Amino acid sequence: MEEKESRKGAMAASESGGKITYFVVASCVMAAMGGVIFGYDIGVSGGVMSMGPFLERFFPKVYKLQEEDRIRRSHNNKNHYCLFNSQLLTSFTSSLYVSGFIATLLASSVTRSWGRKPSIFLGGVVFLAGSALGGSAQNVAMLIIARLLLGVGVGFANQSVPLYLSEMAPARYRGAISNGFQLCIGIGFLTANFTNYETQKIKEGYGWRISLATAAVPASILTLGSLFLPETPNSIIQTTKDVHKAELMLRRIRGTNDVQDELADLVEASSESDSNAQHGFLNLLQRKYRPELAMAFAIPFFQQVTGINVVAFYAPVLFRTVGFGESGSLMSTLVSGIVGTASTFLSMLVVDRIGRKTLFLVGGLQMLVSQVIIGVIITVAEAHDGVIGERYGYAVVVLVCVYVAGFGWSWGPLGWLVPSEIFPLEIRSAAQSVTVAVSFVFTFAVAQSVPPMLCKFQAGIFFFYGGWVAVMTVAVRLFLPETKNVPIEKVAGLWEKHWFWGKLTRKRDCQETTSVSS
C-alpha cells in the first residue's frame, strides 16, 4: 500500500515537473540574495541624494540650491523642479549602470563556461568591495569608483541569478520561484529606505556612510552563501557533460526518481547548445531566434520606460519637490517600498495560476491610470497655487503607491521572469546577458534624463511615461505568448504556435527544408 502511494506521489511530481523541496527553496532563497543587493543599491542611492550632509560634502552646488529653495518656496517660485538637475549628481546614480552593462556581457562567458554559481560568487565579491569603498569615500572620485564596482557586482548577479532560479524551479512553480528575484529586489529597496530614514536622523551627519556601507551585509551573505549553492542540472550538463551527475541533481531538486523526460530534454538542449558553442552572441542573429531576440530587447526596454525609476531613484527627491521635508520624503518612500514589496509577494502567489499576460495587462492599466492622475493633480495644483500644497502632496503619495503596486505584480517581477524562461539553452546565457545589458543601458539613460526632464516638463514627465505604458501593454497583449506551466526546455515551441511569430518560424522551416533538398 505504501509502495503504491509512493508511486502515485512520484507520478504526480513527474507530471507537474517535480515538487517543491526544501533543497530547492533553500538554494533559491540564497541565490535570490542577488536581488537584495540590487534593490538595496537602487533604494540607498536615491535616499542619500536627499540627505543634506551628503550633498554638502560631495555636491555643494546642489546643496546650496536646496537651501535657497526653502526661501523661494515662500514666494511661490516654481524652480524647485530644477533643484536636482545636476549631471554630476546623477552620475553618482547612473555610473553603476555603465560598468554593469560591460560586466553583464562578460558574465555571459563565465556563466556558460563555468556555471551559474561562479558568476553569483563573483557578483557578491565585487559588490562587497564597492560597498566598503562607498561607505569610506572621501571625495567624488572614490564615490564614483565605488559605484562602478557595485555595477560590476550587479551585472554578474543580474545575469546569473534569474537563470539559476528558472533552471532550479519545477515548471509548475517556476513563476513563483523566479519572481522571488523581484521580491528580493523589493526587500532590498525597502531595507535601504528604512536604513535611510533612520540614518538621516544622526545629527553628526555621517548617516549616509552607514547607509552606503550597510550594502556589505547582503553582499556578504550572497558571497558566502554562493559557496554552498548546488549547480543547476542544466549547467552541469552544459559545462561538464556529466549526465549521471545532472540526473542525481535533478532527482534531488525535483523530489522524485522519475526525471528521465526532463533529463532527455536537457541532454537534447545541451547537444544543440554544443553545436552553436563557438558562435556566442552571433547565434542570436539567426532567423530562428528572431522572436527571442526581439523580446530580449523589448522586455527590458519596456520595464525601464514604465517610469519606475522616477520613483525608485528619485522618490525622495520627487516627494521633496511636492512639498515634503527630508524626513517626510524618506518616510513616503518607505511606505511606497512596503506597498511594492507586498504586491510582488502577491504576484508570486498568483503568477502560476492566472498567467503572466494577465498580470502584465492588469498592472499596465493600473500604472497608466495612476500616472495620468498624478500628472493632472500636479499640473492643476501648480496652476492654482504656484506650489504643491500639502493635500496634493498626500494625494501624490497615495497614487505613487497605486502605481508601485501595479509595477510590483507586473513589470517588476515579470520583467525578470519572462526573459529567463523563454530562451533555449543554446542561447540562454548570451540572451540573458543581452536582456540585462539592455536594461542597464536604458536604466542609465533614464537616470541621466529624469532630472532635466523633471526640470523642463515638470508634471508632463508622468504623461510621457504613461504613454509608454500604454504602448507596452498593447505590445504584450499582441506579441508575447503565455508561458504558464510550460517546461523551460519546451517554451521555444510556443513561438511556432503564435499568430505572428509562427509565420516567421514556418517560413524559416520551409527555407531550411528547401536548402536540405537542394
Side-chain angles (χ1 to χ4, degrees):
M1 187 70 173
E2 291 180 0
E3 183 179 351
K4 184 175 181 181
E5 292 298 323
S6 178
R7 286 200 301 269
K8 286 183 178 180
M11 289 177 62
S14 177
E15 289 172 358
S16 64
K19 61 183 181 181
I20 292 290
T21 63
Y22 172 79
F23 186 66
V24 167
V25 172
S27 300
C28 290
V29 166
M30 182 56 64
M33 288 299 295
V36 175
I37 65 174
F38 186 36
Y40 187 91
D41 181 81
I42 294 173
V44 79
S45 58
V48 298
M49 282 169 56
S50 70
M51 294 184 184
F54 175 80
L55 293 175
E56 185 177 16
R57 183 181 183 91
F58 296 106
F59 308 98
K61 291 183 180 180
V62 176
Y63 178 75
K64 182 179 179 180
L65 289 174
Q66 178 179 273
E67 292 302 304
E68 292 175 350
D69 182 66
R70 295 177 182 176
I71 300 175
R72 291 196 185 108
R73 280 180 179 275
S74 62
H75 297 90
N76 291 343
N77 189 293
K78 299 185 181 182
N79 288 334
H80 50 271
Y81 284 106
C82 302
L83 181 60
F84 292 88
N85 185 19
S86 165
Q87 287 302 307
L88 182 60
L89 179 60
T90 54
S91 294
F92 162 71
T93 296
S94 56
S95 57
L96 177 146
Y97 300 98
V98 176
S99 59
F101 169 78
I102 298 172
T104 192
L105 298 178
L106 296 176
S108 173
S109 297
V110 175
T111 303
R112 178 184 177 85
S113 301
W114 299 95
R116 285 53 168 153
K117 180 177 173 179
S119 284
I120 295 174
F121 175 77
L122 285 174
V125 168
V126 180
F127 193 93
L128 182 59
S131 59
L133 184 60
S136 60
Q138 299 298 317
N139 50 55
V140 175
M142 289 182 67
L143 208 60
I144 298 300
I145 292 173
R147 296 290 295 170
L148 293 174
L149 288 174
L150 293 174
V152 173
V154 169
F156 271 88
N158 284 13
Q159 195 276 341
S160 54
V161 170
L163 293 184
Y164 186 92
L165 297 178
S166 65
E167 291 178 350
M168 288 290 283
R172 185 177 178 182
Y173 304 104
R174 190 174 62 245
I177 291 178
S178 295
N179 276 7
F181 182 68
Q182 177 64 30
L183 178 65
C184 284
I185 292 177
I187 291 174
F189 182 75
L190 184 60
T191 302
N193 289 333
F194 178 77
T195 303
N196 288 333
Y197 181 71
E198 292 299 322
T199 58
Q200 58 88 25
K201 298 177 183 178
I202 298 176
K203 296 181 179 179
E204 290 78 4
Y206 60 83
W208 62 269
R209 290 192 182 277
I210 297 177
S211 292
L212 295 180
T214 303
V217 175
S220 299
I221 296 174
L222 178 66
T223 302
L224 296 175
S226 66
L227 297 175
F228 302 96
L229 285 177
E231 192 56 271
T232 70
N234 314 60
S235 185
I236 290 173
I237 293 179
Q238 188 176 45
T239 58
T240 70
K241 314 304 177 190
D242 191 336
V243 177
H244 179 65
K245 184 178 180 181
E247 181 179 3
L248 293 178
M249 182 58 66
L250 264 180
R251 290 178 178 179
R252 189 174 183 186
I253 66 177
R254 297 293 180 253
T256 177
N257 291 327
D258 187 8
V259 296
Q260 294 307 312
D261 289 343
E262 184 174 1
L263 182 65
D265 289 337
L266 295 183
V267 172
E268 181 181 354
S270 180
S271 298
E272 178 68 19
S273 176
D274 290 340
S275 66
N276 295 301
Q278 302 302 318
H279 299 90
F281 289 101
L282 293 178
N283 289 330
L284 293 171
L285 301 179
Q286 297 181 34
R287 185 182 184 88
K288 64 180 178 179
Y289 299 129
R290 191 162 294 175
E292 290 92 337
L293 181 61
M295 292 301 163
F297 276 90
I299 291 177
F301 167 73
F302 283 146
Q303 186 186 46
Q304 296 311 314
V305 295
T306 56
I308 186 60
N309 286 326
V310 176
V311 175
F313 292 148
Y314 300 108
V317 175
L318 173 65
F319 290 136
R320 292 199 72 166
T321 298
V322 298
F324 290 95
E326 180 178 319
S327 179
S329 68
L330 290 174
M331 174 55 77
S332 300
T333 306
L334 179 61
V335 171
S336 65
I338 294 173
V339 172
T341 303
S343 61
T344 300
F345 181 74
L346 178 61
S347 177
M348 289 179 63
L349 300 179
V350 302
V351 66
D352 289 311
R353 299 180 182 179
I354 67 177
R356 284 68 162 150
K357 293 185 69 171
T358 300
L359 287 175
F360 268 132
L361 298 177
V362 172
L365 181 62
Q366 186 173 335
M367 288 189 292
L368 174 60
V369 171
S370 57
Q371 281 180 313
V372 170
I373 297 178
I374 290 173
V376 170
I377 287 179
I378 295 179
T379 300
V380 172
E382 285 285 350
H384 286 78
D385 303 327
V387 293
I388 303 296
E390 183 176 338
R391 57 178 180 172
Y392 295 113
Y394 284 117
V396 169
V397 171
V398 172
L399 287 165
V400 165
C401 288
V402 173
Y403 165 81
V404 169
F407 180 85
W409 55 54
S410 62
W411 279 98
L414 301 183
W416 296 104
L417 165 62
V418 174
S420 71
E421 65 183 359
I422 63 174
F423 305 131
L425 182 62
E426 63 268 21
I427 63 168
R428 188 170 297 153
S429 181
Q432 180 67 13
S433 288
V434 170
T435 297
V436 178
V438 171
S439 177
F440 280 148
V441 167
F442 286 102
T443 304
F444 173 83
V446 168
Q448 287 291 114
S449 63
V450 164
M453 287 181 66
L454 187 62
C455 177
K456 184 174 182 179
F457 299 123
Q458 300 181 8
I461 193 172
F462 293 99
F463 300 121
F464 173 80
Y465 286 113
W468 278 113
V469 171
V471 171
M472 68 185 71
T473 302
V474 174
V476 165
R477 175 66 180 85
L478 295 177
F479 300 112
L480 184 68
E482 179 57 68
T483 56
K484 179 182 68 174
N485 295 338
V486 180
I488 192 169
E489 301 302 345
K490 294 186 178 297
V491 170
L494 296 176
W495 304 108
E496 299 175 4
K497 303 175 183 178
H498 190 269
W499 72 271
F500 178 77
W501 301 115
K503 298 175 183 177
L504 294 179
T505 57
R506 284 193 293 271
K507 184 176 181 180
R508 176 200 73 211
D509 292 339
C510 291
Q511 289 177 339
E512 292 179 351
T513 302
T514 303
S515 176
V516 171
S517 300
S518 60

